[in-house]
Amino acid sequence: MGPNGKTERCLRFVHPPNASLPNDTQRATESCLDGWVYNSTKDSIVTEWDLVCNSNKLKEMAQSIFMAGILIGGLVLGDLSDRFGRRPILTCSYLLLAAGGSSAAFSPSFPSYVIFRFLCGCGISGITLSTVILNVEWVPTRMRAIMSTALGYCYTVGQFILPGLAYAIPQWRWLQLTVSIPFFIFFLSSWWTPESIRWLVLSGKSSKALKILRRVAAFNGKKEEGERLSLEELKLNLQKEISLAKAKYSAADLFRIPILRRMTFCLSLAWFATGFAYYSLAMGVEEFGVNLYILQIIFGGVDVPAKFITILSLSYLGRHTTQAAALLLAGGAILALTFVPLDLQTVRTVLAVFGKGCLSSSFSCLFLYTSELYPTVIRQTGMGVSNLWTRVGSMLSPLVKITGEVQPLIPNIIYGIIALLGGSAALFLPETLNQPLPETIEDVENWSLQAKKPKQEPEVEKASQRIPLQPYGPALGSS
C-alpha cells in the first residue's frame, strides 16, 4: 500500500509480507526489478518494451513524435508540391507511408519504432495535403462541399475497419504490417491520378494540361468536345492564371498584408484548437470505461451523421457559421466532462462521442473553408501554414494529458477552453458560400468590402466556366 491507501502497481515490498517487522504500515518498498505481469493477452508496444511506471510517458512521447512527423511533412511536402506538382508528391507520400509503416512492424527497438512512425506521419501529411488541393482544383464550386465531406467519410470507413482488424490481429507487429501493405497498392494506383490542370498551366506545361483535359473528357463521354479543345483556347481561358504565375508570394505575406494576417490568425487558431481537442478524445478512448473496440467503432460511427449534417450546414448555413458552431459545441462538451463523476460512464461516453463528432465536422469544414479563403497566388502556402497549426495542436495534445497526474481535471479544462477560443476566432472570418475561388489578394479584399454592404444576389461564378476548374461536365460540352 502507498501512503494514500491505494495499491501501488509500480512498487513492491522490500521484505516478504509475512516478515516480522516493528511496524507493518511502514513496510519499506522498492521499484519492481524483475519485470511486470500484464492482465491483457493482447500484444502491444507497451508489453513489448514495458512502457509502464517510470516509462509510461514514452507512450505520449511516441504519439507526439508521430504528430511531429505530420507537421514536418506538411511543411516540406507542401513546398515540394508547389515545385514538382500535386501528383508526384501524392505518389511519393503513399510510398513513404507504406515503407515506413512496414518497417515499423519489424522495429528491433523502441527508438527505431519511433523513427519509422515519424516517417509515417510525414507520409500521411503529404497524402492529405495533395488530396485536398487536387479536390479543390478539380471539382467545381457547387460540388466542393459534397466532395470534401465525401473524402472525410473515407477516414470514417477506416475508423470502422481498424477496430475489427485490431480485434482479429492481437499481435501489434502483424497489425502494423496489415494496415501498411495496402498503401503499396495505393502507390501504384496513384500513377493514374490526373495532375492539377491549374498547376500545370501555372508551371508552363499547357500542352500536358491539354492532353489531360482530353483524357478526362473521353473518360466522361465527351471525347469529341475534348478533341475540339486547342492550346490557344486553353491559354485564352487561363490568361489570368498565367499572369498570376508571375507574382511571387511567400509565407511572410500572410502576416504582412492586413486582410491575410487576420484570416491567417483566425484560421490558425481554429486549426490548432481542432487538432488539439480532437486527439485528446481520439487518443483517450480507454478512459471512458467502455470496451476499447466498441468505443472506437462508436467514435467512427458518429462521423456518419456528423458529416452529413456538415454537408447540409455548409450548403445552407455557410462555412462561417458551421465552423464556429462545431468548435463551440465541442469545447462545451469537453468542459462538461470535468463536471461529470467518473462513475457515470454512460454520460461521459455520450459527451465524448458528441464532442468527437463536432470536431470531425470542424475538420471537414476547415479543409474546404481554408482552401476557399486563400487566393490562388498563395493558396498552397496558406493551407500549409494553417495545417501546420493543427499538427502542433495534435503534437501537444498527448503531452497535456501528463498534467492529469497533478490534477485529473486540468487536461479537459485546457482542451475545452482552447476549443472555445478556436470557435470564437472563426466568427471573425468572412463567408465563402456561393463565392468563386479568389484568384488575387484584391479579390479577398473585395469580399471584405462587400460583406459590409447590404446582401445582394451572388454573382455568376466566372471561374467555374473555365475549363480547368470544371473538366467533368458543362465546361467541356460548351466549348
Side-chain angles (χ1 to χ4, degrees):
M1 294 289 183
N4 55 3
K6 295 182 179 180
T7 302
E8 296 286 352
R9 294 182 298 173
C10 298
L11 298 176
R12 69 178 185 180
F13 291 117
V14 175
H15 302 283
N18 58 355
S20 297
L21 294 175
N23 189 346
D24 286 345
T25 61
Q26 300 298 323
R27 193 181 301 274
T29 58
E30 64 181 359
S31 300
C32 299
L33 304 177
D34 304 317
W36 290 266
V37 177
Y38 300 97
N39 294 328
S40 176
T41 58
K42 298 287 184 180
D43 178 30
S44 67
I45 63 170
V46 173
T47 59
E48 174 98 11
W49 293 302
D50 291 326
L51 305 183
V52 294
C53 298
N54 292 335
S55 300
N56 67 340
K57 295 181 179 62
L58 292 177
K59 292 184 298 181
E60 282 74 19
M61 187 192 74
Q63 187 61 36
S64 293
I65 291 177
F66 170 71
M67 295 300 176
I70 298 180
L71 186 154
I72 299 300
L75 291 175
V76 176
L77 298 178
D79 180 66
L80 293 178
S81 177
D82 282 337
R83 291 171 179 263
F84 303 107
R86 283 55 163 133
R87 199 204 71 178
I89 299 304
L90 177 64
T91 300
C92 292
S93 296
Y94 276 131
L95 180 60
L96 181 60
L97 180 56
S102 300
S103 299
F106 297 98
S107 302
S109 62
F110 180 72
S112 62
Y113 169 80
V114 170
I115 292 173
F116 289 127
R117 288 287 289 167
F118 175 86
L119 295 177
C120 287
C122 293
I124 289 175
S125 190
I127 293 170
T128 302
L129 282 176
S130 298
T131 302
V132 169
I133 294 299
L134 281 170
N135 175 60
V136 169
E137 295 184 345
W138 267 105
V139 177
T141 300
R142 66 178 183 275
M143 293 293 294
R144 232 179 270 146
I146 296 175
M147 283 301 300
S148 179
T149 307
L151 289 174
Y153 273 123
C154 296
Y155 179 82
T156 302
V157 172
Q159 284 188 297
F160 282 124
I161 296 174
L162 185 59
L165 288 176
Y167 185 81
I169 307 174
Q171 294 80 21
W172 76 267
R173 291 183 183 274
W174 283 108
L175 176 62
Q176 178 70 48
L177 187 63
T178 301
V179 299
S180 300
I181 287 179
F183 287 99
F184 285 109
I185 300 175
F186 300 147
F187 160 70
L188 296 176
S189 64
S190 66
W191 287 95
W192 284 270
T193 302
E195 180 58 272
S196 166
I197 298 299
R198 184 187 297 272
W199 180 86
L200 287 172
V201 172
L202 297 184
S203 301
K205 301 178 180 179
S206 301
S207 298
K208 189 174 182 180
L210 183 60
K211 291 181 181 179
I212 292 178
L213 276 176
R214 287 174 174 171
R215 186 177 53 151
V216 172
F219 181 82
N220 287 285
K222 301 283 186 178
K223 185 175 181 179
E224 293 183 2
E225 290 86 342
E227 292 296 332
R228 287 201 300 266
L229 291 174
S230 64
L231 194 59
E232 292 73 20
E233 185 179 3
L234 178 61
K235 290 182 178 180
L236 181 63
N237 277 273
L238 295 171
Q239 188 173 6
K240 184 177 180 180
E241 281 84 350
I242 294 173
S243 63
L244 289 175
K246 300 176 182 178
K248 300 297 181 181
Y249 292 92
S250 66
D253 293 296
L254 295 175
F255 304 94
R256 182 181 60 82
I257 301 171
I259 185 67
L260 293 182
R261 181 169 59 243
R262 187 184 72 179
M263 285 193 337
T264 300
F265 175 79
C266 293
L267 284 171
S268 296
L269 186 52
W271 275 100
F272 176 85
T274 302
F276 186 69
Y278 181 90
Y279 287 99
S280 74
L281 296 175
M283 300 301 173
V285 291
E286 74 280 357
E287 299 175 0
F288 299 102
V290 181
N291 181 278
L292 181 64
Y293 303 100
I294 295 177
L295 187 56
Q296 194 65 52
I297 292 175
I298 294 174
F299 265 29
V302 72
D303 283 5
V304 176
K307 289 177 179 177
F308 178 74
I309 294 173
T310 301
I311 293 178
L312 299 178
S313 182
L314 287 172
S315 301
Y316 296 100
L317 298 180
R319 284 63 157 152
H320 168 269
T321 303
T322 303
Q323 183 58 57
L327 280 175
L328 291 174
L329 289 173
I334 295 174
L335 284 178
L337 285 172
T338 61
F339 302 102
V340 179
L342 294 177
D343 55 338
L344 297 179
Q345 294 294 350
T346 301
V347 178
R348 291 179 61 83
T349 301
V350 169
L351 286 172
V353 170
F354 176 77
K356 196 266 183 181
C358 292
L359 291 167
S360 295
S361 297
S362 178
F363 263 128
S364 297
C365 182
L366 274 174
F367 277 112
L368 175 64
Y369 199 14
T370 304
S371 61
E372 290 182 336
L373 280 171
Y374 284 115
T376 299
V377 293
I378 202 168
R379 180 172 296 121
Q380 183 69 22
T381 302
M383 276 291 294
V385 170
S386 298
N387 194 256
L388 177 150
W389 285 104
T390 199
R391 303 313 169 192
V392 173
S394 58
M395 186 173 63
L396 293 178
S397 185
L399 301 180
V400 171
K401 284 189 175 295
I402 298 175
T403 63
E405 297 180 4
V406 179
Q407 173 54 253
L409 301 179
I410 293 178
N412 281 337
I413 291 176
I414 296 175
Y415 294 134
I417 290 176
I418 294 298
L420 292 178
L421 289 175
S424 301
L427 294 172
F428 296 93
L429 292 169
E431 181 56 72
T432 61
L433 179 63
N434 295 325
Q435 293 280 358
L437 279 179
E439 302 286 357
T440 65
I441 295 172
E442 288 73 18
D443 291 342
V444 179
E445 292 174 339
N446 290 336
W447 277 6
S448 181
L449 293 175
Q450 291 175 3
K452 300 176 182 178
K453 298 179 181 179
K455 190 173 181 181
Q456 300 175 352
E457 290 295 323
E459 297 180 1
V460 177
E461 181 183 355
K462 297 179 181 179
S464 65
Q465 306 303 319
R466 298 186 183 121
I467 295 171
L469 297 183
Q470 198 166 324
Y472 297 127
L476 288 170
S478 62
S479 62

